Amino acid sequence: MATALLVVAHHRADSLTAHIADRARVRLEKDGRTVDVLDLHAEGFDPRMTVADEPDWGDRDKTYSAEVRAHMRRIDAADLIVVVFPVWWYGLPAVLKGWIDRVWNYGFAYGRPTARLGGKRMLWLALAGQSREEYAGHGLGDALAHQLTVGISNYCGITDAAVRFVHDTVSPAAPAPATADDALEEFLTPS
């Protein structure tokens, strides 16, 4: 059975981010997947880099901390990774950036002749307060999408990666959950 790792990066369980992540979980389960929900805040993930998890460029087989190795196993077990997060200051929330820094580490996610994460699929589902037009006018969506798909996913061997934005999330009239459902459906439906 296919497994999806659903990563949630928001501190409030009642946030729009958490709501959309729950809708994604339901959709993934409906698709027949086992879903491993990794709620970074609820699980108490510490995003701060430690000496134990600092890359050792001379040792790609370094043994990282127990916490990080547990997260690496969860990534290994998934064929699909879906990350749901709010866009803050046109980037990732600190807890998510720290998760990438500590867990997607040298020798695990990159730094080997054969990409360990190759063959996985990845969807970054980004909740943005501004409209699509405002993002496009400044090139911010393209910049963030490039950073996430090329700078993280592709760099780690995940070539089937996409970023989908849910815009206008601060507007009470915005259809954010439906937009998120459409983005997930589009990504999961084979072309």
Side-chain angles (χ1 to χ4, degrees):
M1 182 180 288
T3 299
L5 178 63
L6 178 60
V7 182
V8 184
H10 200 286
H11 59 283
R12 283 194 354 260
D14 65 345
S15 67
L16 180 59
T17 302
H19 177 70
I20 287 176
D22 191 56
R23 289 174 71 114
R25 178 193 54 77
V26 169
R27 170 59 179 86
L28 292 164
E29 288 173 346
K30 183 179 172 188
D31 206 33
R33 295 178 182 276
T34 297
V35 180
D36 176 7
V37 177
L38 171 53
D39 185 325
L40 294 170
H41 282 279
E43 293 189 21
F45 181 77
D46 185 349
R48 296 173 297 176
M49 181 58 76
T50 64
V51 173
D53 297 323
E54 184 177 358
D56 181 347
W57 306 116
D59 181 9
R60 78 173 70 155
D61 295 315
K62 175 181 176 173
T63 301
Y64 294 103
S65 70
E67 178 184 30
V68 163
R69 288 192 321 271
H71 284 255
M72 289 174 173
R73 285 191 296 275
R74 291 169 83 173
I75 294 168
D76 271 340
D79 62 293
L80 171 65
I81 302 164
V82 178
V83 182
V84 184
F85 65 98
V87 176
W88 289 344
W89 293 103
Y90 306 106
L92 302 176
V95 71
L96 182 54
K97 177 65 167 77
W99 184 70
I100 297 294
D101 289 346
R102 284 186 65 204
V103 178
W104 292 60
N105 219 322
Y106 178 68
F108 169 71
Y110 64 95
R112 296 195 178 272
T114 302
R116 182 174 181 162
L117 303 183
K120 296 185 185 298
R121 299 181 73 209
M122 187 164 193
L123 174 62
W124 300 89
L125 194 52
L127 283 69
Q130 292 179 319
S131 70
R132 179 181 314 277
E133 295 75 24
E134 288 171 306
Y135 261 61
H138 294 84
L140 297 169
D142 292 340
L144 183 56
H146 186 80
Q147 174 192 354
L148 298 175
T149 56
V150 176
I152 298 173
S153 299
N154 295 173
Y155 185 72
C156 295
I158 302 172
T159 56
D160 188 357
V163 176
R164 298 291 183 265
F165 288 94
V166 178
H167 290 282
D168 294 316
T169 58
V170 295
S171 168
T179 303
D181 292 346
D182 293 344
L184 186 60
E185 186 67 34
E186 175 191 340
F187 183 75
L188 293 175
T189 304
S191 40

